[in-house]
Amino acid sequence: TLGGITMLGTQTIYTKRLILRQIREEDYIDMYRYTTKEEVAKYVSWSVHKNIEDTKAVCKMWADEYKNGDKYHWAIVYNNRVIGNIEIVKIIDTTAMIGWQIDSEYWNKGIMTEAATAVRDYMFSQIGIEVLEA
C-alpha cells in the first residue's frame, strides 16, 4: 500500500466481450495493425510506426514495465486479437490519469467504453483510486 493505494499492478480483467491483460512481447504483430494508422496516432503522444521494428521495440518496452508491479497497462483483446491498449499513465495521490488507443476498425462499437469502464471499476474497487481523469 502506498498512500492509501494498493499496488496490485495489471491484473487480467474479463468483460462481456474483452480480455484486458498484460501486454506481451509477441503482441507487436497485432499492434502493428493499428500503430501504423494516422487516425489512431492523431490523439496520442506517439507518432505513427513506420515499420514493424518500431512496434516490436515499444511492445518489448511495455512488457518490461510490469517487473516493478506498479504498472497499469492492458492489452485490449477482442476475438483473440489485440486491437488496442489502455493505460493509467500517471497516479498522483488517489487520482489516476487514463489514456488509450484502439484500432479505428473497431471505433464506435462500444469496445473502448467497455474497456474503460472495466479499468475504472478495477482502479476504484481494487486499487483505491478516488478520481479518474481521461
Side-chain angles (χ1 to χ4, degrees):
T1 305
L2 182 70
I5 292 184
T6 306
M7 297 306 244
L8 295 177
T10 307
Q11 303 294 319
T12 302
I13 302 169
Y14 297 91
T15 70
K16 194 171 79 180
R17 298 181 289 175
L18 310 172
I19 300 170
L20 306 178
R21 59 150 172 84
Q22 288 189 357
I23 295 166
R24 302 175 188 144
E25 278 190 56
E26 63 268 21
D27 290 336
Y28 76 92
I29 296 162
D30 285 348
M31 288 182 165
Y32 186 65
R33 286 192 183 98
Y34 65 87
T35 57
T36 56
K37 296 182 178 181
E38 289 285 348
E39 67 270 24
V40 174
K42 190 174 179 180
Y43 304 106
V44 295
S45 59
W46 46 266
S47 303
V48 168
H49 290 194
K50 301 284 186 247
N51 59 60
I52 201 158
E53 292 305 315
D54 290 349
T55 312
K56 197 173 190 178
V58 166
C59 231
K60 180 176 177 5
M61 180 189 77
W62 284 344
D64 287 344
E65 288 177 345
Y66 297 115
K67 289 186 176 102
N68 293 338
D70 60 355
K71 191 70 184 166
Y72 298 94
H73 194 180
W74 292 265
I76 301 169
V77 182
Y78 178 72
N79 289 341
N80 297 313
R81 179 190 287 179
V82 176
I83 62 162
N85 53 295
I86 184 166
E87 176 182 19
I88 300 298
V89 292
K90 189 187 287 183
I91 297 175
I92 300 171
D93 298 320
T94 56
T95 298
M97 291 85 177
I98 191 171
W100 56 71
Q101 55 265 332
I102 185 172
D103 190 334
S104 51
E105 185 183 326
Y106 299 94
W107 288 2
N108 301 312
K109 297 180 185 337
I111 291 171
M112 207 62 242
T113 302
E114 189 173 324
T117 299
V119 169
R120 177 203 65 197
D121 293 350
Y122 174 78
M123 295 306 292
F124 284 168
S125 68
Q126 303 299 310
I127 308 306
I129 290 298
E130 294 174 0
V131 176
L132 188 64
E133 297 177 357

